[in-house]
Structure formats: C-alpha cells, structure tokens
Amino acid sequence: MKLKHTQFTDNNGSFSVEHPENTSYLYFPLASEKGLKSCVTPILGGDSKLDQETFLLEPVSSENLHSNRATRNFWLKSDDGRITSITGASDEQESRKFTPDQEKCILHAGFMWHCLERTSSAPALKLRIVSFVPWNNNVEIMHIAIQNQSEKVQNLTPYAAIPIYGRSADNLRDHRNVTSMLHRIETEANGITVCPTMSFDERGHRKNHTVYYVYGFSSLGQKPERFYPTVEEFIGEGGSYTHPRAVYESFNGVPCGTSVAGKEAIGAFAFPEISLDPGQGIQYAILLGADTDRDEIRKIYEEYSSVEKIQAALDETIRYWAEKVNVTFHTGNPDQDMFMKWVCFQPYLRRIYGCSFLPHHDYGRGGRGWRDLWQDCLSLLLMDPQNVGKMIENNYGGVRIDGTNATIIGNGEGNFIADRNNITRVWMDHALWPLITTQLYIDQTGDIDILNRKVPYFKDAQTERGRLRDQLWSSEQGNKQMTQADVIYKGSILEHLLIQQLSAFYEIGEHNIYRLRDADWNDALDMAPDRGESVAFTCAYAGNLRNLARMIRLLEAYSGQSETELLYEIQILLGHDRALYDNISRKSEILHKYVKSCRHTISGQRFLISYASLASDLELKAEWLTEHIRNQEWICGQENEGWFNSYYDNHGQAVERYSKKPGDVRMMLTGQVFAIMGQVASPQQIRQIVTSADRYLYRKDIGGYRLNTDFQELKFDMGRMFGFAYGEKENGAVFSHMTVMFAYALYQRGFAREGWKALRTLADTALDFDTSHIYPGIPEYFRSDGRGMYHYLTGAASWFMLTMITQVFGVRGEAGNLLMEPKLTSEQFDETGTASVQLTFAGKEFTVTYINSEHKEYGNYITGSATCNQEYLKIDSPNYTMLSRETIIALPSRNNHIVIHLV
C-alpha cells in the first residue's frame, strides 16, 4: 500500500501531511455538538456557519478554495519591513510555491483539530496555528505560537485578519452589496463585532439579533490596540487580502470604541509590537463565532480568556471525540486500522453537517434526508446505541399512511418536512432503509418489542403515493394522520413496516417490477417517472420481505402472543395467491383501492391477524419476486459471466445488455448488489456476477468497482447521470457507498475474499494520497483519475463500519445475543496471526481477538476454542461462537476479553 505523504502519528488516527498547500481542494472539518460548523484549508480558507441563515465567514464551494483570497489570516511585520503570513496566504509566499524557496510547512490533524507548522526564513521564525472548535461551544479558536529562530532580537507587530461575512448564504448572489449596508460594526477592547440590522429577504425582512465577533489576546495579556473594521480599511485602495496595505504600510487604523455602518466587515486588528529574544516565543488566541446573546459571547470569551484555558479546552475536545469513536481495529495493516478510525468518525460528521455545509456539498439548506437518517443510525447502533430505540420510534413518525414518507428532516427528533422546494417527489427506495435499521437494532439489543410500540403517521397534502394533492388538508390541521373521528391515529411500528413493504409490492410497472418513480438510491436516475422500473430495488425489497417475516416470527416467539392488531384498511394488501401476483392490472387496482381509502382520513378501526399468516404471506411474496426476477432479468454474458438487468427506462426498455461489440456492454453495479443482498441471486449467479464485475467495472487504480460501464449515450429517458462526464459522480465513478454495499452483500452470502477485494481497494486508494488527494477517510466517490470527491459526508462510512464489524470480524448481535463468526482473510492477521476489534455491545466494552497462528485462509479455518475473561465458552458451531444476553448482562462494564483460536 502506498502512503507517500500521509503519516499516522498515534493510535487515534491523528496524521501529518507535508506541504498540504501543494494539493488542491483539501479541506478539513471542525465542528461542535452545539451547532457551529467550520472547515479549514491548508491556508485556513474555508468557512464557518451555524446554519444556512447564519454564516460567520463567506460561504465557499470547492472552486472557491483556490479562487477566494478572503481567508483567516495572521500577519507578522518585523521592524525592518519583512512581512510573513503564518497561514502562508501572502502574495510573496504564494509566488515561492513549487520553488526551492518555498517555506517548510507540515499539517498535523486529528478529530476536530487542525495544526499548521511553518518555518519562515525571513524573518526567521517557527510558527504554529492550532485551529479547533470546542466540542461543547459555538466558537472557533485559533491558537498561534511564534518563536524567534534567529540569533538576534526580533521586533514584530502581529495582525489578525478574519473577514466577517455575517449573513445568510442566500445573500452571496442575492443582494450581496445591499446586505453589507445592513452591517453595524463596533470595535471593542477585545476585538470587533458585527450586528446587521436585519436579515434581508424579499419574502419578508426580519429584525436580526445575531452578533458576529472576532476577539483576540496574547499570552502576555495584550489586547488589540489598532483596528481595521472594514475590508476597505484593511486592504486599502488597490490592495488585496494577500497584500493588505494596512499591514504593508502600517496604517494607523481606528481606536477601540469606533462604530462603522454599511460596509463589508473584517475582524482585523493589530496587537502591540513585541520584542523576542533568540529562542523566545509568544502565543496569541483568536476567537471567532456568532450568537444572539451578547452575555453568552462574554461568557465564551471568559471561558477561553487565556492560552492555558485554550490548551485545556483543546485537550478536552481531543479526549471527547476519541471516546466517541470507541471502535478500534487491529489487523496486519496498521495504516488501514487508522483509516478505519476516520471511517468510524465520519457518521458523527454527517450528523452535525447533514448533507450540506462542506465545500463539495454546496447544495441544500442543511439537514439530512430520509435515507441518511436511517443509515446514520447503523453506525450509532455500533458505537453509541443509547437512545437509538427512541430515535427509531420517532423516525417512524415520518411514514405516511400510503407507505411513502416525508423526505426532509426538520429540527429536533420526529419533526418532518414534506418535500424540498415544494416539489412532490417519491423515491422508491425509501421504504427499504427503516426495516434494515430496525432489524439491526433488534439484533443488537434484543428489543423485539419495539415492533409493538405505537407511533403516529405523517400527514400533509401529498396523497395516493404522491399522485394527488389532498384538497381537504390544510397546514392548520397539523402533520399527523387523523381518523374520521378527528383523532390522531397511532399504529404499531410493525404496522408501519407492513404498509411500507406491501404498498411498494403493488406499485409495479409493465414488467411487473417495482416502479422507479422519481428515483431510487441513485438520485440521478430521475427522468423515468412514467415507465421506469427498478429491478435493483425490487431485489432489495424481496430481501426485506424475507427479513420482516423473520422479525415477525421472532416477535411471536418472544412475546408469547399469536396475533396482532392492524389497521382495517390494509387488509386488501394482505393474502392473495401467485396467480394474482402475475396480474399487473389487478395488482395496480389493489393499490389504487388502498390509497384511495386513506386519501384524507382513515377509519381508525383494527382487525386481528395471526403472526404466522403474516409471515407466510410475506415469504410467499418474496419467493414470487425471486422467481420472477431470475426468470425475467438475468443477462447471459460470455462463459462464466452473467448479471441482472437493473432498470427499465422511460420507454420501457431494459437498460443493461451483453454485446460482443467492443464497448457496447451495459452493466450497472446496483442491480448486482441488491440481487446478492436480497438473496435473489443464487451462489452460481453470484460467481458469474463477480466475474462480470471484475471484467467490466473494476479499476484497481481508481478505487475498484465503478457504478456502471460507459453507455456512450445521453439517456434522457433515464436520468441526469448520463449527462455527467463518464467517471464523474453517478455516471461510472467508483461510488463508495454502493461498492461497500457490494462487499457487505458478498460477505453476507459467504464470498469473503471477493468482498475484501472491494473494501481493500477502496481503502488503498483513499490512503494513496498521490491518487486520492484527500485526508484519511472514505469519500463519496472516486472520479475517473482516482481523486476522492465529496469527502466526509457519505453513507458509505456507516456501511463500511457495519461491514467490518458485523461481517469481516463477524461480531454482531442476533436477537440480543452476541455472535462471533469471523470472515477474515489470511492477510488481515498480523505477523503473529492475530486480529482484534474493540467495541461496545449491550453497554459492555469488549475486545474480541482471533488467533490464527497458522495463517489459514478464510474457508480453511474453524473455531477451535473460545474464552471470555479466561472462562471457556461452549462452541455451538465450527463457524461461530455465541454469547447469550444473560451471560453478557452478568459481565463487568469494561475490560471484557474474548479470545477465539482458529484452527
């Protein structure tokens, strides 16, 4: 594995990179649990914000990272006129890049902290800036250290310069200049504040209460003495952010107590001149943030009013995030183990940032979508399961009675918004993810009774699965489904799941495959709403039907009950026989009758049905789907090759095909993933799929399995993805999320070596800095040249973590018991034949160690012996070991060691 530039420096994933400023598009996340979301580049570009309406620093997209010069900066001017930027963001330092005169710079970083070390030759100084956001406060802190490296006394004047944007991101291209006229800027003893008079919005202006601030002090207690509160005053006429005349020409500035109105603001000020003896140093702190309460701002300043307090806060923040990422892997590849630290950290980033607010994620207005909400729960169940059960209950409140769901999550748990931009859309995969998450929850916790808990349904104007608007509904009625008696209806979570799965089963197209509607997981398949069908997710739903049947049988066994109550209206979706399943028009009629019956209100009446008949009904539907897809969608390729068609386009034509003509084969990964995961593909078909994927989709040098072959066509009857250049985003990039799910599906079906190939190639490419050009972690995708794109905020992280823990190491729950079924390949053991994982299960900390002293390959080893805290365990099977829930409860909270010898 190549690891040329990135070096890990501790056991928590901290790393260093030399000359990070020589790599484009790098950015690093800094955020708190309270809402502040920042990102920094190697020259401290990037932005900082609380939400879409409250940007402290100017919003940036990826291209702004090299075009925008309005970055955080800290300047030093010596008494002989030599000037340096500690961030390297001066025109002179920029001109020396890629020459022998370029300053030495190294980045050190870890979870939510970022440190730049720079050596300046003129003047001779050792410089350091640590940037971080305390985990529990909305303030970004720059901790600056300066040391004289020369053999003579140096007199220096320090300048801080933080451009303050101070308004909504919408105003970047909507009245940017006009909104600067709203600024009211004050110079105070500690720095500069900006409080705009209003939030400018032509739909309705609002009085503003948010105060943006930049404060600073030195380790000697010095405060700013000269201020430059506007951009014009700081850069000077004809100047720039990289050559500010206030610094180069020592402008006098204005004193404390000055008020300025109606200009672009900057938190720029000069500290008193300092004199440093040889080897002597001094420190500075810059605090930047935003709050609606000036008293709170004063408290923040007091809390971090010395460099000692700041260092303590940094240490606490490092500890906090290290404890959050409470999963540790040990294999034969230490770099990959550290890579997994970042993968396990990424779900926390997406919980904080949502799907917006990092430079590549320059869309949306914050928050997460429906799919993200459920998939992020996967990682929480493995790392921080406390309160996940309640979170899942609240999430089901977003399901509509017709089986669709709200698509945007509001603030707080259980708050949902109907759609984005008032556009009615239905993603046909959305009913898939709640069941997957709930199944993992039940297996990890043993809380099967969650299926009986009652929650409301979401209600808005969208009805009949998005085809019509409910003219009888108004927002004043609220967002809860009502009965005809005007009472909020609550149904069991089992009922929610049944409605989701069954309504999807009956919404089929002309090939008796689930309709694509407005898109599935692949949002870019958005141009086939009429005749498009998703074979890929029909396979996935077949697996869901099987798994739901298993959950129902488990519920019956654990509850001691044989029946359950369900909403009267859904009877029409239950039962029937295979002859009806073949009849497309009859299935459509059944769905129409159901959604029509609950268009506005529902009866609220219930009927009794046995668990056994429910489970049998779901299993019959799953079997029919499997047979139908195998018979209709299988594509035969060359010898030992074959795969499933994944989609039908808006002309009703199959999207994939085999062809002997060079470059004419059409294959998509998505259909193969869910055919394997949903148990539609037979073992022989899986082998053929892998052979085909290796031939047509696999590119080791750019991350592994591409999402599709090059169709060489603008398919406007399928989706916008075909408008992208091939190798970009959904059109043929190595999409990490789908590749990881491919690996998960392969592991799940016993194809461990093939699954590991997919995971290993992703990790190798991410860690090859010369190729990926990203910091450690998994990006959304690798483009055609291998560069990692849309870093950090991806569902691939949760699935990568899930796959490594539950499939590769095989440590997973089963109805609350702990199962250990390793599928490690020989290369994953270290030189002593050891591999281990540290994690939390049932509130207890475990280290599970596998010892494969003979370095046997997967498939050639079995469990020889197993101990827990040196007590021998019963071996239930050659392939796995089980620890019962009762045994786990009796164990201590920490330091539980399970050792399994493989022979």
Side-chain angles (χ1 to χ4, degrees):
M1 178 185 298
K2 294 192 334 183
L3 194 63
K4 286 190 175 180
H5 298 299
T6 307
Q7 298 293 332
F8 290 106
T9 56
D10 63 20
N11 292 325
N12 287 318
S14 301
F15 64 92
S16 63
V17 177
E18 291 189 3
H19 288 296
E21 73 275 17
N22 289 354
T23 299
S24 300
Y25 300 107
L26 285 177
Y27 52 86
F28 189 82
L30 301 173
S32 81
E33 294 274 29
K34 288 293 189 71
L36 185 66
K37 296 169 278 287
S38 298
C39 65
V40 292
T41 71
I43 59 169
L44 297 196
D47 60 24
S48 183
K49 79 293 291 181
L50 290 172
D51 51 42
Q52 177 76 5
E53 304 297 325
T54 317
F55 270 75
L56 168 62
L57 307 184
E58 182 179 316
V60 296
S61 297
S62 56
E63 290 302 314
N64 300 124
L65 299 181
H66 45 250
S67 66
N68 191 344
R69 295 185 287 182
T71 63
R72 307 165 181 87
N73 215 327
F74 197 91
W75 298 83
L76 295 171
K77 183 176 183 179
S78 65
D79 56 1
D80 60 3
R82 291 177 297 179
I83 294 171
T84 190
S85 160
I86 297 185
T87 69
S90 74
D91 52 5
E92 184 178 356
Q93 288 160 297
E94 179 79 13
S95 71
R96 293 200 298 264
K97 285 177 65 177
F98 310 111
T99 74
D101 296 326
Q102 181 173 357
E103 294 174 343
K104 182 179 179 181
C105 179
I106 186 167
L107 162 74
H108 305 280
F111 301 149
M112 300 298 197
W113 64 270
H114 178 279
C115 173
L116 286 171
E117 291 183 350
R118 183 179 301 276
T119 301
S120 170
S121 58
L125 298 168
K126 183 178 180 181
L127 309 167
R128 185 183 76 234
I129 299 185
V130 177
S131 299
F132 74 102
V133 174
W135 73 270
N136 57 346
N137 271 317
N138 284 337
V139 59
E140 182 185 321
I141 299 175
M142 295 165 57
H143 185 188
I144 300 144
I146 303 161
Q147 186 182 49
N148 183 1
Q149 295 286 89
S150 73
E151 296 180 356
K152 63 178 183 178
V153 174
Q154 293 203 61
N155 297 313
L156 303 168
T157 301
Y159 295 79
I162 315 294
I164 300 174
Y165 176 73
R167 49 204 187 267
S168 168
D170 297 337
N171 299 131
L172 198 61
R173 278 291 301 155
D174 182 7
H175 297 87
R176 169 70 188 262
N177 180 250
V178 168
T179 50
S180 71
M181 302 173 193
L182 305 174
H183 283 176
R184 298 298 184 266
I185 312 166
E186 305 285 341
T187 64
E188 302 177 358
N190 298 321
I192 291 173
T193 64
V194 181
C195 184
T197 56
M198 67 174 69
S199 296
F200 187 96
D201 186 339
E202 290 185 314
R203 294 169 298 182
H205 307 306
R206 303 179 306 280
K207 180 177 174 58
N208 171 68
H209 300 282
T210 301
V211 179
Y212 304 88
Y213 62 90
V214 176
Y215 288 160
F217 58 85
S218 79
S219 55
L220 300 177
Q222 298 165 318
K223 296 185 176 184
E225 68 173 8
R226 302 193 309 275
F227 300 85
Y228 311 92
T230 71
V231 173
E232 293 177 13
E233 289 175 283
F234 181 66
I235 68 172
E237 193 69 32
S240 69
Y241 284 113
T242 56
H243 192 110
R245 293 182 63 187
V247 176
Y248 279 80
E249 301 175 34
S250 302
F251 286 178
N252 290 329
V254 299
C256 174
T258 301
S259 299
V260 183
K263 299 287 183 66
E264 288 286 357
I266 183 170
F269 39 77
F271 289 96
E273 184 182 70
I274 54 172
S275 181
L276 295 180
D277 292 332
Q280 186 181 6
I282 190 170
Q283 299 176 54
Y284 290 88
I286 305 299
L287 313 181
L288 49 149
D291 205 289
T292 56
D293 186 343
R294 288 183 182 270
D295 287 338
E296 186 62 29
I297 294 173
R298 283 188 282 270
K299 289 177 184 177
I300 290 287
Y301 182 81
E302 180 57 35
E303 189 168 348
Y304 305 104
S305 59
S306 72
V307 293
E308 292 78 15
K309 290 179 179 179
I310 286 173
Q311 184 61 50
L314 174 61
D315 293 342
E316 182 185 352
T317 296
I318 291 172
R319 281 194 302 272
Y320 177 83
W321 291 112
E323 290 171 3
K324 281 287 188 182
V325 184
N326 57 6
V327 177
T328 300
F329 297 91
H330 171 79
T331 66
N333 191 325
D335 287 332
Q336 193 169 88
D337 298 339
M338 292 301 99
F339 163 80
M340 283 306 304
K341 279 287 185 181
W342 284 94
V343 170
C344 295
F345 179 57
Q346 286 179 238
Y348 287 107
L349 293 175
R350 194 158 79 158
R351 181 168 57 82
I352 292 170
Y353 286 85
C355 293
S356 307
F357 298 142
L358 283 179
H360 277 115
H361 299 80
D362 55 356
Y363 49 82
R365 305 179 68 84
R368 292 172 291 169
W370 179 259
R371 193 183 302 125
D372 312 318
L373 186 70
W374 292 96
Q375 293 190 96
D376 290 349
C377 280
L378 299 177
S379 61
L380 286 176
L381 281 168
L382 298 171
M383 285 194 298
D384 188 17
Q386 187 178 9
N387 300 322
V388 173
K390 188 63 180 176
M391 188 184 304
I392 288 173
E393 288 181 45
N394 290 332
N395 291 348
Y396 275 105
V399 177
R400 294 189 184 92
I401 200 71
D402 63 6
T404 63
N405 54 268
T407 55
I408 305 297
I409 286 74
N411 294 324
E413 290 186 12
N415 294 320
F416 300 96
I417 301 169
D419 52 64
R420 198 190 304 273
N421 303 324
N422 292 317
I423 301 171
T424 298
R425 292 182 289 192
V426 172
W427 282 265
M428 63 82 63
D429 69 303
H430 275 188
L432 183 79
W433 312 108
L435 191 145
I436 290 174
T437 301
T438 305
Q439 182 182 9
L440 179 66
Y441 170 79
I442 291 170
D443 279 335
Q444 291 294 109
T445 66
D447 182 17
I448 186 67
D449 191 56
I450 191 173
L451 295 177
N452 287 325
R453 289 175 203 145
K454 288 183 166 56
V455 294
Y457 289 85
F458 181 72
K459 175 62 183 173
D460 62 358
Q462 185 171 315
T463 191
E464 295 200 17
R465 296 184 66 81
R467 291 189 184 88
L468 297 175
R469 293 187 68 81
D470 181 358
Q471 302 298 330
L472 299 177
W473 180 86
S474 66
S475 58
E476 289 76 20
Q477 297 171 15
N479 288 113
K480 300 287 191 295
Q481 177 66 54
M482 308 297 287
T483 68
Q484 293 164 4
D486 202 31
V487 174
I488 293 174
Y489 176 79
K490 292 185 178 182
S492 68
I493 286 177
L494 173 59
E495 182 184 277
H496 283 67
L497 285 166
L498 285 166
I499 288 174
Q500 286 184 301
Q501 306 310 308
L502 293 171
S503 59
F505 178 81
Y506 289 98
E507 187 169 30
I508 39 85
E510 60 201 78
H511 299 92
N512 216 340
I513 296 295
Y514 289 25
R515 287 187 59 202
L516 179 58
R517 298 298 303 272
D518 297 301
D520 60 13
W521 167 90
N522 189 337
D523 291 336
L525 294 175
D526 55 353
M527 298 173 72
D530 303 315
R531 299 176 68 185
E533 297 169 73
S534 176
V535 182
F537 278 88
T538 305
C539 293
Y541 279 112
N544 259 19
L545 291 169
R546 288 189 181 92
N547 290 333
L548 184 54
R550 169 184 169 268
M551 291 160 64
I552 290 171
R553 294 192 188 281
L554 188 67
L555 178 61
E556 180 179 24
Y558 274 73
S559 68
Q561 303 293 318
S562 61
E563 294 179 317
T564 188
E565 281 189 332
L566 298 175
L567 178 68
Y568 176 81
E569 281 86 340
I570 72 172
Q571 286 185 89
I572 194 173
L573 303 178
L574 295 168
H576 310 300
D577 55 28
R578 297 175 69 92
L580 182 138
Y581 300 156
D582 288 325
N583 191 321
I584 295 172
S585 61
R586 281 284 294 121
K587 287 168 76 175
S588 298
E589 287 173 12
I590 287 171
L591 180 64
H592 179 68
K593 286 181 180 178
Y594 170 69
V595 296
K596 186 177 180 181
S597 71
C598 51
R599 178 183 295 172
H600 179 59
T601 57
I602 55 177
S603 67
Q605 298 176 9
R606 294 182 170 93
F607 70 100
L608 283 172
I609 187 170
S610 73
Y611 287 126
S613 63
L614 268 180
S616 296
D617 184 18
L618 298 176
E619 288 163 348
L620 181 64
K621 287 176 168 64
E623 289 167 9
W624 179 86
L625 285 171
T626 300
E627 183 180 331
H628 176 62
I629 293 167
R630 285 180 178 176
N631 291 338
Q632 179 175 282
E633 304 301 336
W634 183 251
I635 297 169
C636 292
Q638 294 187 17
E639 186 178 358
N640 298 322
E641 292 180 359
W643 62 92
F644 286 96
N645 172 50
S646 298
Y647 295 98
Y648 288 92
D649 62 26
N650 216 32
H651 287 99
Q653 299 298 308
V655 168
E656 294 173 59
R657 67 184 180 220
Y658 170 72
S659 173
K660 293 183 179 179
K661 182 180 176 182
D664 197 41
V665 168
R666 293 186 173 184
M667 181 180 182
M668 303 182 82
L669 185 62
T670 311
Q672 319 325 312
V673 169
F674 291 109
I676 297 170
M677 191 184 297
Q679 300 185 39
V680 172
S682 68
Q684 177 60 28
Q685 286 175 321
I686 294 173
R687 284 187 278 272
Q688 291 178 273
I689 287 169
V690 170
T691 300
S692 304
D694 283 346
R695 178 173 182 183
Y696 300 113
L697 300 176
Y698 186 73
R699 279 272 310 275
K700 181 179 180 180
D701 56 324
I702 64 167
Y705 293 98
R706 306 180 89 153
L707 204 52
N708 54 277
T709 57
D710 188 355
F711 281 31
Q712 302 179 35
E713 177 187 357
L714 295 176
K715 279 189 68 61
F716 293 116
D717 58 357
M718 198 65 220
R720 68 178 187 264
M721 65 172 270
F722 294 101
F724 300 151
Y726 184 65
E728 292 289 344
K729 220 162 172 26
E730 289 94 344
N731 188 17
V734 175
F735 225 85
S736 301
H737 195 172
M738 192 53 65
T739 301
V740 172
M741 289 195 287
F742 186 42
Y744 180 89
L746 289 167
Y747 273 106
Q748 195 179 51
R749 300 292 299 277
F751 290 78
R753 285 182 291 276
E754 294 81 358
W756 176 236
K757 176 181 177 179
L759 293 181
R760 184 188 62 217
T761 312
L762 283 175
D764 285 352
T765 306
L767 286 171
D768 180 2
F769 190 83
D770 281 346
T771 298
S772 67
H773 303 291
I774 58 172
Y775 297 136
I778 190 75
E780 181 180 276
Y781 69 92
F782 297 96
R783 69 186 192 189
S784 57
D785 60 359
R787 183 183 285 269
M789 303 294 291
Y790 291 72
H791 200 8
Y792 297 116
L793 310 182
T794 168
S798 290
W799 275 88
F800 208 126
M801 182 182 175
L802 178 73
T803 305
M804 285 294 294
I805 294 174
T806 67
Q807 296 298 322
V808 180
F809 278 84
V811 180
R812 62 184 181 272
E814 189 169 286
N817 304 310
L818 182 60
L819 181 77
M820 289 149 287
E821 184 185 10
K823 297 175 185 175
L824 293 151
T825 62
S826 60
E827 72 175 82
Q828 292 176 279
F829 295 90
D830 68 15
E831 64 277 3
T832 68
T834 300
S836 65
V837 60
Q838 296 177 27
L839 45 68
T840 299
F841 185 87
K844 307 296 174 74
E845 294 181 9
F846 287 92
T847 299
V848 179
T849 302
Y850 298 109
I851 299 175
N852 179 10
S853 56
E854 297 182 34
H855 282 86
K856 290 185 177 181
E857 187 53 81
Y858 170 72
N860 295 328
Y861 57 70
I862 61 172
T863 301
S865 65
T867 61
C868 178
N869 297 340
Q870 301 184 336
E871 297 267 340
Y872 278 95
L873 300 175
K874 179 184 176 184
I875 305 300
D876 301 296
S877 163
N879 297 321
Y880 66 84
T881 304
M882 182 84 79
L883 205 61
S884 71
R885 194 74 174 188
E886 292 75 16
T887 301
I888 294 169
I889 291 171
L891 292 173
S893 297
R894 306 183 68 180
N895 299 319
N896 294 293
H897 296 273
I898 296 174
V899 179
I900 298 174
H901 288 266
L902 305 173
V903 296

